[in-house]
Amino acid sequence: MQFTSEQRLDDSVLEREFTLGDIPGTLWTPESAAPVPLILMAHNNGLPKREPRLVARARHSAAYGYAVAAIDAAGCGDRPRSAADEQARADLRRAMQAGEPVDEIFESFIGPLVEKAVPEWQTTLDALLALPEIGGPVGYSGWTAVGIRLAVLEPRIAAAGFFAGGYVPRAQREEARQVTIPLLFLLQWDDEGNPRQRALDLFDAFGTKEKTLHANLGGHTGTPWFEVEDGNRFFGRHLK
């Protein structure tokens, strides 16, 4: 892991950009004399790590006492897209504009994205836990499809907060029953891109005995800010 820049922010959080092979990422850490717990933070469907809502959440959680890391998935943010990625995105835009079914396009697009992203998150986790300022346990926050796969494969993740507002491939919907860690699931009741019943069915499928559903009125990007604070308290119960 190579740090390429750093700056001390107004909230006493240190923000550092890093590269890990082909993976670009950002790490936010609080001022602390002791190693702090880590939260991996991924945006739904692979939006960039510099997306303003993700950055705001990350800074708030770091100020609360966590190390927080985000990376760009393949084809997102600073990483070039393949011709197949561009075609899938074009097909999706065309189908949505025409009012056509989009599940199969999402499946062909999001499924491979998850398969590529999860090993990169595991590689990033290995490097982050080798840093002296970061200890355990580890939490995960954000993109549900990637989070499900990580929760199943990665024993170092102790708790997770998932956002229901993104397409979850069939493979991860099947894997949901294998998720046994404490879970906080956020749902926007009027999310225009995510059928409510599908999200409720997914919540029901999670195998953990400790799962909480928070549902709020509003569309896809309308998650209330107090949910960030509730999320920090959720992770405080399981990571600190």
Side-chain angles (χ1 to χ4, degrees):
M1 174 176 283
Q2 180 179 359
F3 289 103
T4 58
S5 69
E6 69 173 62
Q7 61 175 326
R8 180 71 65 180
L9 305 175
D10 292 341
D11 44 13
S12 298
V13 170
L14 180 63
E15 179 184 85
R16 286 175 285 177
E17 301 291 329
F18 66 82
T19 58
L20 185 59
D22 294 331
I23 307 168
T26 307
L27 175 64
W28 296 266
T29 49
E31 288 186 325
S32 175
V36 295
L38 171 66
I39 297 175
L40 306 179
M41 193 168 285
H43 209 294
N44 273 351
N45 296 349
L47 289 173
K49 61 183 175 61
R50 298 303 305 178
E51 205 281 334
R53 286 179 295 147
L54 185 147
V55 172
R57 286 168 43 221
R59 289 182 57 173
H60 192 276
S61 294
Y64 202 85
Y66 303 105
V68 183
I71 63 173
D72 278 337
C76 302
D78 296 331
R79 304 180 68 177
R81 294 177 182 173
S82 67
D85 286 341
E86 293 288 6
Q87 185 61 53
R89 292 173 186 270
D91 290 344
L92 180 60
R93 287 192 297 269
R94 179 197 56 77
M96 293 181 71
Q97 289 169 359
E100 298 173 356
V102 296
D103 275 12
E104 291 307 316
I105 299 175
F106 266 125
E107 192 75 30
S108 65
F109 173 44
I110 302 299
L113 199 57
V114 172
E115 295 294 334
K116 295 175 185 176
V118 168
E120 293 187 342
W121 272 113
Q122 291 181 293
T123 298
T124 302
L125 179 58
D126 291 340
L128 291 169
L129 290 179
L131 298 175
E133 62 267 37
I134 298 177
V138 180
Y140 173 91
S141 175
W143 186 7
T144 299
V146 165
I148 290 172
R149 174 60 61 85
L150 277 173
V152 171
L153 296 180
E154 186 48 72
R156 292 174 290 184
I157 295 180
F162 293 159
F163 287 77
Y167 181 81
V168 177
R170 285 187 288 269
Q172 278 67 66
R173 294 201 295 269
E174 288 295 321
E175 287 179 323
R177 67 194 67 202
Q178 302 175 49
V179 174
T180 58
I181 59 176
L183 178 64
L184 175 63
F185 195 56
L186 300 183
L187 169 63
Q188 284 303 102
W189 202 246
D190 309 299
D191 191 332
E192 57 278 11
N194 188 49
R196 183 188 307 163
Q197 191 58 53
R198 180 180 292 174
L200 294 173
D201 290 343
L202 180 61
F203 177 76
D204 191 51
F206 288 122
T208 180
K209 299 301 181 183
E210 187 173 346
K211 55 184 176 180
T212 300
L213 171 67
H214 285 188
N216 291 282
L217 296 177
H220 182 71
T221 61
T223 303
W225 183 254
F226 62 73
E227 290 291 3
V228 177
E229 298 176 350
D230 283 351
N232 287 333
R233 287 190 287 270
F234 164 79
F235 284 119
R237 293 194 296 273
H238 302 290
L239 304 185
K240 289 188 174 181

